[in-house]
Amino acid sequence: MKIAFFDTKPYDKASFDKYAKAHDISIKYFETKLTEDTASLAQGYDAVCVFVNDNVNSAVIDKLVEYGVGIVALRCAGFNNVDMKYAYGKVHVLRVPAYSPYAVAEHTMAMLLTSIRRIHKAYIRTRDFNFSLSGMTGFDLYGKTVGVVGTGRIGRVFIDICRGFGMKVLAYDKYPYAGLDDGVNVRYVELDELFEKSDIISLHCPLTEDTYHIINEDSIAKCKKGVILLNTSRGALVDAEALLNAIKARKVGGACLDVYEEEADFFFEDYSGHILDDDILARLISMPNVIVTSHQAFLTEEALMNIADTTISNIVGFVKNGECPNELCYRGECATDCKSGKCF
Ligand code: NAI
């Protein structure tokens, strides 16, 4: 069994080598992303293993079919980078639905605390022996209202963390989670009410046609002045230009972004010493109340081991049994809500 592994980073190899060896699988690691131009590297392999910024569009899928590559193994949960409607019936798309919701939820809270308690500024100041506190006033999380969009695995862990801080939670989900709404501390509301009443808004829904630019000029206009926006989900949930304008207008009080709409061009790479071409990203990063991490929320030791274990098990299980519970669009469960009628 041979796997072509795209967009490899040094931290991928230790965990994947461990589980591949246990199953007698050989992995060829490519640093390049999977695109139309690089798909030919997959020739001769049984499966490709891809991450969030590999582009599995229709042209790539056609090439994989041509080369006889039947499996696309995502080593992540989100699958917005795969044209699922096109993939159905051509290649089998396997994913890792959950590897550590704690990793992402904890990173989200780390970013929030960093932002509102000005830790990023304090770290730099004290290294320069500047012990002044001017401009460092934060605010308590206790008693504040957090709006959580998407109450799946990560959203619910984040809600638990927020409840630990004594925060009130307003939740929104297209498919509410039974038993989460206690009528007092956690309440499901419509999106508009969430925008209007939340001091902090955190996005934990997938990127779909419904959620594309769910944070835009109109939704920001409905928010409280000074709202803090957290996005550790997918960049295109937020219209970055609208966010930048709202920060300049002092409407948004802070933004913590682990993802960015155009991140595929930059994130995971070292661009220090280069001139950044993306003016919106550069301007956002220059803001004192914006914190950007480069799609790092998942990156814990536990998550990396779980990702490798599940990815390899998915492939081995699929080859052995001809099916895998972590296949997208598996046994009547529509992964994309595509309503194409083509599934099943
Ligand atoms: P999940 O599938 O457990 O939960 C997603 C939730 O969003 C579900 O409850 C679903 O009903 C809800 N949802 C679907 N459509 C919606 C809509 N239109 N409006 C509101 N809610 C909607 O997924 P999980 O594991 O909680 O992950 C959430 C997202 O986090 C992923 O889609 C992925 O984009 C992102 N993620 C980011 C990582 C990072 O490193 N920054 C790592 C892992 C995931």
Side-chain angles (χ1 to χ4, degrees):
M1 179 81 190
K2 288 161 65 185
I3 300 175
F5 194 104
F6 286 86
D7 201 11
T8 308
K9 296 289 176 282
Y11 50 76
D12 290 319
K13 288 186 185 169
S15 51
F16 270 89
D17 279 348
K18 176 180 166 190
Y19 288 100
K21 197 172 166 199
H23 292 281
D24 206 18
I25 285 176
S26 111
I27 300 182
K28 174 74 180 174
Y29 293 102
F30 296 108
E31 285 186 15
T32 181
K33 293 185 180 60
L34 178 61
T35 66
E36 269 173 78
D37 297 331
T38 62
S40 60
L41 292 169
Q43 283 187 76
Y45 291 88
D46 305 295
V48 290
C49 182
V50 299
F51 197 48
V52 293
N53 290 323
D54 293 291
N55 186 3
V56 190
N57 59 20
S58 56
V60 169
I61 292 166
D62 281 343
K63 290 197 172 179
L64 295 179
V65 172
E66 185 189 329
Y67 305 144
V69 180
I71 299 174
V72 175
L74 293 163
R75 53 181 190 277
C76 54
F79 48 87
N80 52 285
N81 54 330
V82 181
D83 185 340
M84 277 307 301
K85 288 183 201 175
Y86 195 77
Y88 186 76
K90 298 187 181 74
V91 287
H92 296 278
V93 182
L94 320 178
R95 68 161 179 159
V96 184
Y99 38 88
S100 174
Y102 310 102
V104 182
E106 289 171 13
H107 188 83
T108 311
M109 180 50 84
M111 294 187 88
L112 173 60
L113 287 171
T114 301
S115 169
I116 65 162
R117 301 309 303 266
R118 322 283 186 242
I119 306 296
H120 54 310
K121 302 210 150 294
Y123 176 76
I124 291 166
R125 270 193 200 182
T126 54
R127 285 173 72 86
D128 200 26
F129 307 132
N130 175 354
F131 302 110
S132 152
L133 289 182
S134 60
M136 301 297 244
T137 310
F139 63 81
D140 293 2
L141 286 180
Y142 178 81
K144 294 293 184 302
T145 298
V146 60
V148 177
V149 180
T151 54
R153 297 174 191 87
I154 296 169
R156 293 200 303 278
V157 173
F158 185 66
I159 287 172
D160 281 348
I161 294 172
C162 291
R163 289 291 307 128
F165 278 79
M167 301 171 83
K168 300 241 181 240
V169 179
L170 296 177
Y172 172 79
D173 198 300
K174 197 172 173 186
Y175 309 101
Y177 187 78
L180 186 65
D181 186 329
D182 64 8
V184 186
N185 293 314
V186 182
R187 286 195 304 118
Y188 275 112
V189 294
E190 290 303 316
L191 254 189
D192 276 358
E193 185 176 346
L194 184 150
F195 289 140
E196 284 157 20
K197 295 187 176 164
S198 298
D199 302 298
I200 295 147
I201 294 174
S202 195
L203 305 178
H204 298 289
C205 56
L207 175 61
T208 63
E209 282 171 16
D210 283 351
T211 60
Y212 175 78
H213 283 186
I214 196 168
I215 300 296
N216 55 39
E217 194 181 336
D218 291 345
S219 49
I220 291 171
K222 292 173 190 156
C223 292
K224 285 187 179 181
K225 185 171 164 46
V227 66
I228 309 286
L229 176 72
L230 315 174
N231 186 10
T232 55
S233 201
R234 283 294 179 267
L237 297 175
V238 176
D239 177 342
E241 189 168 6
L243 173 64
L244 177 60
N245 290 336
I247 288 168
K248 288 196 304 209
R250 278 64 169 174
K251 170 81 181 186
V252 168
C256 302
L257 310 173
D258 186 51
V259 285
Y260 175 69
E261 187 164 2
E262 305 300 332
E263 69 176 52
D265 295 339
F266 306 104
F267 281 18
F268 304 114
E269 308 298 336
D270 181 357
Y271 280 93
S272 54
H274 292 251
I275 292 165
L276 200 69
D277 287 332
D278 187 320
D279 286 356
I280 294 178
L281 180 60
R283 189 79 168 96
L284 280 170
I285 288 172
S286 77
M287 292 287 179
N289 53 353
V290 174
I291 296 178
V292 174
T293 52
S294 50
H295 209 132
Q296 178 186 333
F298 75 99
L299 195 61
T300 65
E301 287 175 13
E302 292 81 357
L304 288 176
M305 284 299 167
N306 291 339
I307 287 169
D309 187 9
T310 306
T311 305
I312 297 293
S313 302
N314 283 346
I315 297 171
V316 169
F318 186 85
V319 170
K320 193 170 159 201
N321 307 319
E323 60 175 19
C324 167
N326 290 332
E327 179 173 7
L328 290 168
C329 302
Y330 168 79
R331 286 199 180 167
E333 282 184 34
C334 184
T336 59
D337 211 9
C338 67
K339 306 203 172 52
S340 67
K342 285 197 325 195
C343 319
F344 332 114

